[in-house]
Amino acid sequence: MAEQATAEPAHAALVSSALALGEGAGVRVAAPELTVVVPCYNERANVRPLVRRLEAALSGLRWEVIFVDDASPDGTAAEALQLAASDQRIRCIRRIGRRGLSSAVIEGALASSASFIAVLDGDLQHDETRLPAMLALLSDGAADIAVGSRHAAGGDASGLGSAWRHWLSGLGIRAAQAFLPVRLSDPLSGFFMLSRPLFDRLAPHLTGVGFKILIEVLLAAGHNVRIVEVPFVFRPRTAGESKLDLLVSMQFAAVLIERLFRGLLPVRFLAFAAVGALGILVNLAALAILTKLIGLGFEWSQGLATLVAMLANFELNNRITYRDQRLVGRRVWQGRLVFVLVCSIGAIANVGIAGMLYHQHAGWSLAGTAGAAIGVVWNYAVSATLVWRAR
Ligand code: GDD
Ligand code: MN
């Protein structure tokens, strides 16, 4: 409250001095040279310390920071907005009903009008004091992309914490190196800088899935970019917690697999089909329990077992396949209902088409496969638009 009371007259003074200069109600300020894009989810406690550190590290430069928050329940956005209210260098993009580090970075970078874009984690683990060195490499024309590296000479990855994280990171680095057109010591780094024109050129080729935005950028950039690694010490986290979990690692594998299929089969479809295959097992298990253990008649059992499988598939798809668009709260029930309806129609189509082919002497395996394939494509296509609506 006290802050608002003091902010008001200051603002009024700014407007009147602008009017006095004959510039209308707005004040013209040149775009910054550098935008620091900071994806953040539940990083409230880190917002202020990060801004203070950026101020110290970037003094003398025209810079801005764009926090990209996915409706963090801890009030990260409110914290950033409070700072932004009295400081033009601070901006905040808020996304609702979406999750994902890579897509957050892409949207933050697309909102920049600066000459250069840096990507920096919002948890103080990346070393912001390396930013001027990275900027110098780019503006001198020595590199097209500057990558903060924990594994180059002088860097350090001990802030990763557990032995498990070190192992996982090592595995990921080797997998990524096998796919990348350029050799890098730390291709999994989430800390890098590039020019905005270069980013704009690459942006249409980025999928935005998962955590590994740098990998995507490097894959899209191909051979014709000069990359320089800048060593840095990865600090341990002091507030909040890491969002990198098993599912995120699976998503990383998925991005590489999609690459292997050259985009012919979207990973989302593969995940959806895998969940569907698992659903058949759930269906059979439930059928066995209902007929053998509970002694229910076959038709009733199969009907109930199918429902159980559909509900299980919905849960898995909502948590894995559509993790980035996961339905929550009231919308889960709505989604469940629509999903069951869509899959029921899919099942009818499956049985109908298989039956038709079978009667045309197609052989039971071909008829069954065709019915199932049409069923899964239908379920996927329709639930993508009706259940997990692309927003
Ligand atoms: N907007 C948004 N949405 N931000 C997110 C999301 C999300 O869904 N998930 C994570 N973030 C933010 C975090 O708040 C943090 O600022 C940053 O992205 C990195 O997330 P962490 O959860 O701290 O990741 P990490 O420290 O485990 O992983 C880091 O090291 C990896 C290498 O081991 C990241 O820098 C990775 O990019 C890096 O590959
Ligand atoms: Mn982190």
Side-chain angles (χ1 to χ4, degrees), residues 147-377:
V147 177
S149 168
R150 300 162 295 178
H151 299 290
D156 188 278
S158 52
L160 264 181
S162 66
W164 151 248
R165 276 299 303 266
H166 278 279
W167 180 82
L168 197 65
S169 175
L171 187 72
I173 287 174
R174 259 169 283 137
Q177 281 169 342
F179 277 82
L180 285 177
V182 283
R183 175 93 200 157
L184 273 185
S185 68
D186 195 2
L188 298 193
S189 174
F191 181 29
F192 59 96
M193 192 188 291
L194 75 180
S195 76
R196 192 169 57 81
L198 178 56
F199 179 81
D200 284 348
R201 192 155 61 74
L202 304 179
H205 307 287
L206 307 175
T207 69
V209 175
F211 245 53
K212 299 301 166 219
I213 179 66
L214 176 62
I215 301 265
E216 287 217 63
V217 164
L218 295 173
L219 284 172
H223 296 280
N224 299 328
V225 284
R226 287 156 312 146
I227 297 162
V228 175
E229 293 192 292
V230 176
F232 81 99
V233 176
F234 191 69
R235 303 185 190 116
R237 224 186 216 280
T238 50
E241 54 191 40
S242 170
K243 284 95 208 168
L244 195 149
D245 56 13
L246 194 64
L247 275 178
V248 166
S249 313
M250 281 165 54
Q251 256 177 345
F252 172 53
V255 168
L256 296 184
I257 291 169
E258 186 161 85
R259 186 82 188 166
L260 217 54
F261 282 99
R262 300 194 181 279
L264 284 177
L265 276 181
V267 159
R268 228 197 263 284
F269 177 74
L270 293 177
F272 192 90
V275 167
L278 210 64
I280 296 175
L281 297 183
V282 172
N283 191 327
L284 290 178
L287 184 64
I289 292 171
L290 291 168
T291 52
K292 300 268 173 351
L293 289 181
I294 304 183
L296 212 62
F298 183 79
E299 268 83 15
W300 276 104
S301 299
Q302 174 62 354
L304 273 177
T306 309
L307 185 65
V308 169
M310 286 177 185
L311 292 174
N313 280 11
F314 173 82
E315 288 311 317
L316 288 175
N317 281 321
N318 199 33
R319 277 160 209 272
I320 300 173
T321 317
Y322 287 100
R323 183 173 207 223
D324 54 338
Q325 278 159 250
R326 186 164 161 184
L327 303 176
V328 288
R330 200 168 46 86
R331 303 185 40 193
V332 180
W333 280 104
Q334 217 176 317
R336 247 184 218 124
L337 183 71
V338 179
F339 186 76
V340 167
L341 285 176
V342 168
C343 292
S344 303
I345 297 172
I348 293 170
N350 174 349
V351 173
I353 284 161
M356 191 186 78
L357 289 174
Y358 185 69
H359 289 298
Q360 290 173 354
H361 312 288
W364 67 269
S365 57
L366 179 66
T369 310
I374 287 175
V376 69
V377 169

